[in-house]
Amino acid sequence: MKVYTNIQDFKNVNNPIVTTGTFDGVHIGHRRIINRISEIAKAEHGETVILTFFPHPRMVLFPDDNDLRLINSQKEKIMLLEDAGVDHLIIYPFTREFSRLTAVEYVRDILVNQIGVKKLVIGYDHHFGRNREGDLEQLKEFAPLYDFEVEEIPAQDIDDVRVSSTKVRHALLEGDMKTANKYLQYEFLLNGIVIEGSKVGRSIGFPTANLHVVEDYKLIPADGVYVVKVRVKEQWHYGMINIGYRPTINGDEAKKSIEVHIFNFNEEIYGEVITLSFLQRLRDEEKFESVEALQRQLANDKEKAQQLVAVYES
């Protein structure tokens, strides 16, 4: 897959079959759309193109709205779209100036003159241009004028996309990895840099890597203990992760942390970028009466996690 952060670099593409959207999650609903443009491209000897935007429009238009959390970072989205078989991904910079383009300017200047769209696959409720003035009916009017075709994605499929996104976010915020992974059709991913921590875990027999997530817009699952796969230096391992405030150790003045205990692993990895792939949630985060009680619970967690890994591997 070719990735373009400057649309001027997008050129000499044969018969572009285009769709557009945020594609956050690249989940089961999105894959229906990707499969459709792939079918058309194969039948019409074209190439698939996804036009997406970054930053997310809400980040630009509503900068004081800090509730926005995305399922994927940009790096994750690129990887997932490549895995889905997309030929070309255009990541267009979303700015206030861009948001002021009229519907006809967006179609003429972006879709036609810069991308050279031959067929546009879009949803029945798709809106675009300044104040979201453009819609499917306008696209159908523009198509013959600018020599491209429009295909409407069935309402049911678009509803599935919306429902999937909503269900994924709600499931993650509740720690329901089974539902989230079902709609994603892959295990939820979290990437971060290993930073130095307090080393308390090491002192009680459970050394952990403390994770710093660079993207402040990245959705973090509900607090608790999870079974995960961990990718370190191109190698996959298993482990368990705690998301929360470590109340037994830190008391009431704790800061939220993400700590992963990697099974059968004893290397210094400060500064490494690691990837977590979430398999299942084990329990809520708890405050124990003593460090010894916490140690006993962690031992139980590890035993249960390793049992789940054995089932996963079988």
Side-chain angles (χ1 to χ4, degrees):
M1 181 178 77
K2 294 183 179 180
V3 180
Y4 310 83
T5 54
N6 183 345
I7 200 169
Q8 304 298 332
D9 295 332
F10 183 84
K11 57 187 67 173
N12 302 321
V13 172
N14 180 48
N15 193 17
I17 311 301
V18 182
T19 191
T20 181
T22 58
F23 283 83
D24 185 35
V26 194
H27 52 61
I28 187 171
H30 293 136
R31 287 169 193 270
R32 291 190 185 184
I33 299 170
I34 294 169
N35 289 342
R36 180 56 189 148
I37 62 172
S38 297
E39 289 172 359
I40 298 170
K42 184 177 181 180
E44 301 186 6
H45 306 289
E47 298 179 51
T48 57
V49 180
I50 288 181
L51 172 64
T52 191
F53 307 98
F54 193 81
H56 190 285
R58 276 179 54 189
M59 295 178 184
V60 176
L61 300 178
F62 306 102
D64 296 328
D65 180 0
N66 296 317
D67 293 333
L68 178 64
R69 296 294 180 268
L70 301 180
I71 300 166
N72 296 141
S73 67
Q74 281 293 89
K75 182 179 178 180
E76 292 163 1
K77 184 191 293 188
I78 291 169
M79 179 194 71
L80 292 163
L81 289 172
E82 183 169 24
D83 288 346
V86 175
D87 295 320
H88 303 273
L89 174 64
I90 302 170
I91 304 173
Y92 198 97
F94 191 92
T95 62
R96 285 191 173 274
E97 182 181 12
F98 175 78
S99 74
R100 296 188 184 103
L101 288 180
T102 64
V104 68
E105 288 171 336
Y106 171 74
V107 171
R108 182 192 64 211
D109 299 344
I110 306 297
L111 296 180
V112 176
N113 291 343
Q114 294 190 308
I115 297 177
V117 59
K118 293 302 179 184
K119 190 156 191 175
L120 180 66
V121 179
I122 214 73
Y124 74 98
D125 65 344
H126 181 71
H127 289 81
F128 57 94
R130 185 171 55 204
N131 300 322
R132 293 169 54 85
E133 65 187 15
D135 58 15
L136 180 63
E137 292 307 312
Q138 279 190 290
L139 283 173
K140 289 179 177 178
E141 293 175 8
F142 294 149
L145 296 176
Y146 293 108
D147 192 27
F148 67 92
E149 298 178 33
V150 179
E151 178 176 314
E152 178 183 3
I153 301 169
Q156 178 62 45
D157 284 358
I158 291 297
D159 288 341
D160 285 346
V161 171
R162 187 181 298 113
V163 168
S164 296
S165 295
T166 301
K167 283 193 174 182
V168 170
R169 292 190 180 95
H170 286 175
L172 290 171
L173 292 172
E174 293 174 0
D176 181 1
M177 302 314 303
K178 182 177 180 181
T179 297
N181 291 345
K182 172 186 173 184
Y183 280 91
L184 289 173
Q185 290 194 315
Y186 61 88
E187 291 141 5
F188 174 74
L189 299 170
L190 186 64
N191 290 276
I193 301 171
V194 178
I195 59 174
E196 192 163 353
S198 61
K199 298 184 175 64
V200 172
R202 184 176 302 179
S203 70
I204 62 175
F206 291 89
T208 60
N210 290 261
L211 201 66
H212 169 63
V213 179
V214 176
E215 301 86 0
D216 57 6
Y217 59 81
K218 171 73 177 182
L219 191 154
I220 307 298
D223 292 356
V225 178
Y226 298 81
V227 185
V228 293
K229 289 191 295 184
V230 189
R231 189 169 186 260
V232 185
K233 299 178 180 178
E234 308 301 321
Q235 296 292 322
W236 283 100
H237 310 266
Y238 288 96
M240 60 187 192
I241 183 173
N242 184 81
I243 300 174
Y245 296 87
R246 306 194 310 169
T248 306
I249 302 296
N250 292 335
D252 297 328
E253 297 183 0
K255 293 182 179 180
K256 193 165 187 172
S257 64
I258 302 172
E259 298 178 281
V260 58
H261 172 63
I262 307 173
F263 302 154
N264 305 314
F265 187 85
N266 187 27
E267 296 181 28
E268 292 291 350
I269 53 173
Y270 294 128
E272 292 286 340
V273 176
I274 67 174
T275 299
L276 304 180
S277 175
F278 283 67
L279 304 181
Q280 187 170 322
R281 189 171 191 260
L282 292 177
R283 62 175 176 86
D284 292 339
E285 186 180 47
E286 301 176 48
K287 183 174 183 178
F288 296 92
E289 59 186 19
S290 65
V291 172
E292 292 73 23
L294 171 61
Q295 285 178 295
R296 289 192 294 272
Q297 180 61 57
L298 291 174
N300 290 337
D301 292 338
K302 186 169 183 177
E303 181 179 359
K304 185 175 181 181
Q306 290 176 324
Q307 290 171 353
L308 290 168
V309 166
V311 172
Y312 185 86
E313 288 281 85
S314 62

